[in-house]
Amino acid sequence: MRRKGRTGLIISIILAIIVVVGIGGMVHQRFGKTSTATVRLGLVGTDSEPVWDNVRKRLKKQGINIEYVVFNDYVQPDVALKEGKIDMHACLTRYYFESYNKEQNAHLTSIGNTVISPLGIYSKKYQKIQDLPDGATIAIPNEPTTLGRGLNVLQEAGLIKVKKGSGIKPSLKDIVSNPKNLQFKEVDPATAARALNSVDASIINGNYAVAAKLNPKKDSIYLEPINKAAKPYVNIIAVQEKNKDNKVYKKIVAAYQTEQTAEVINKTYKGAQEAAWPIYGRN
């Protein structure tokens, strides 16, 4: 009887151990998975991935996994965010984002500044902006916002004047002074760099300049000043308004807005993009 009692006790202990181990395994399996938060981040193209790869690597140590959702135009990120198909995006300028948000009553909001990409004027024929001759032809992006931005850059460079009150989106019709009788050739933003072969100068977005092996700080004959007037062109991290205080999202912004990220931006883009938060504030 004693032997049977001992055997039963041993079996009970073994069963108890199995149960405890099993429960422990289930707890680990269940809560281990939920301890990592996955955030779907919208990007346009792959230009910004080198920076986000660095940020993503650091966030993994905090239990945050960034999953890229890549778009091929600047309309879809806002739409996807509004519909909840992504959790945040980091690919649009403040001006473009706020325009969509207001027009669509989308209830989206910015939670952090990322980069600003100054617009540059480039030429294969002339070394200085002042060297452009009378009647020079300038290629300018035909996208309305970038076209207006380009005209404002030409105004800052002292080449033209646009009508007062035309804001950050003047059109060619808003030019009120053009002493050099500059001619404008509207081109797709993506082809502005290739247009350099057939025009006197070309206004090129930072990302397209780098793709064409141009160094904005060294190769441009004029680079858009990074000042108060350029603030609408700062890129932002955006989320739905209801998620603006989400702790995970705040950690992502904090991980992005670091000196380490700024160093990666400088090394990767060589002036085509600059960290915006040290200049314009964190949001």
Side-chain angles (χ1 to χ4, degrees):
M1 292 294 292
R2 289 182 180 177
R3 185 174 297 176
K4 288 183 179 180
R6 288 178 180 175
T7 302
L9 179 60
I10 292 171
I11 291 172
S12 297
I13 292 172
I14 292 172
L15 290 172
I17 292 172
I18 292 172
V19 170
V20 169
V21 171
I23 292 174
M26 288 191 296
V27 168
H28 175 76
Q29 186 178 20
R30 180 176 179 182
F31 292 97
K33 287 182 178 179
T34 56
S35 64
T36 299
T38 296
V39 177
R40 298 164 297 174
L41 172 68
L43 302 174
V44 171
T46 59
D47 292 344
S48 60
E49 284 189 13
V51 175
W52 276 105
D53 284 346
N54 180 275
V55 177
R56 182 165 67 169
K57 184 177 180 181
R58 287 182 275 127
L59 284 168
K60 276 189 176 181
K61 297 177 182 178
Q62 299 182 45
I64 300 172
N65 178 50
I66 300 293
E67 179 182 295
Y68 299 148
V69 180
V70 180
F71 300 93
N72 58 12
D73 65 58
Y74 290 98
V75 176
Q76 292 307 308
D78 274 335
V79 176
L81 182 58
K82 178 184 176 183
E83 295 176 352
K85 294 178 181 178
I86 58 175
D87 302 303
M88 62 171 54
H89 67 58
C91 49
L92 302 181
T93 63
R94 183 174 296 278
Y95 172 78
Y96 189 95
F97 168 77
E98 289 181 348
S99 296
Y100 172 87
N101 202 27
K102 183 178 180 180
E103 291 171 5
Q104 301 297 322
N105 193 27
H107 300 290
L108 309 176
T109 190
S110 167
I111 59 172
N113 292 323
T114 57
V115 298
I116 184 166
S117 183
L119 211 57
I121 303 175
Y122 300 80
S123 176
K124 287 188 175 182
K125 299 179 181 180
Y126 305 99
Q127 298 297 315
K128 298 178 181 178
I129 193 76
Q130 297 85 355
D131 295 339
L132 290 174
D134 289 352
T137 298
I138 298 180
I140 188 167
N142 59 9
E143 189 275 316
T145 301
T146 310
L147 187 148
R149 184 181 181 184
L151 292 178
N152 280 328
V153 169
L154 289 170
Q155 178 170 253
E156 290 202 43
L159 294 181
I160 65 170
K161 288 184 180 180
V162 297
K163 184 170 61 179
K164 287 185 178 180
S166 56
I168 66 173
K169 201 176 177 181
S171 68
L172 294 173
K173 294 179 180 179
D174 293 318
I175 298 175
V176 294
S177 176
N178 185 4
K180 287 193 173 185
N181 192 31
L182 299 175
Q183 305 299 305
F184 295 97
K185 179 181 179 181
E186 294 186 58
V187 298
D188 184 275
T191 66
R194 292 200 294 273
L196 276 172
N197 295 317
S198 59
V199 296
D200 296 296
S202 184
I203 299 173
I204 308 174
N205 293 77
N207 59 324
Y208 294 125
V210 171
K213 308 299 181 185
L214 295 169
N215 185 311
K217 288 187 175 180
K218 293 181 179 179
D219 299 326
S220 65
I221 60 173
Y222 188 83
L223 196 61
E224 180 181 33
I226 303 301
N227 54 24
K228 186 178 180 180
K231 187 175 181 180
Y233 308 117
V234 170
N235 283 264
I236 52 116
I237 296 174
V239 299
Q240 292 183 357
E241 280 183 358
K242 64 181 181 181
N243 294 323
K244 65 181 181 180
D245 295 319
N246 183 291
K247 291 182 179 180
V248 171
Y249 299 168
K250 285 186 174 183
K251 287 181 179 179
I252 293 172
V253 174
Y256 190 99
Q257 294 178 339
T258 60
E259 182 61 31
Q260 187 171 349
T261 304
E263 289 175 2
V264 176
I265 292 169
N266 291 333
K267 183 178 179 181
T268 303
Y269 303 109
K270 299 177 175 59
Q273 293 183 16
E274 293 191 27
W277 65 94
I279 305 167
Y280 299 100
R282 297 196 174 273
N283 191 22

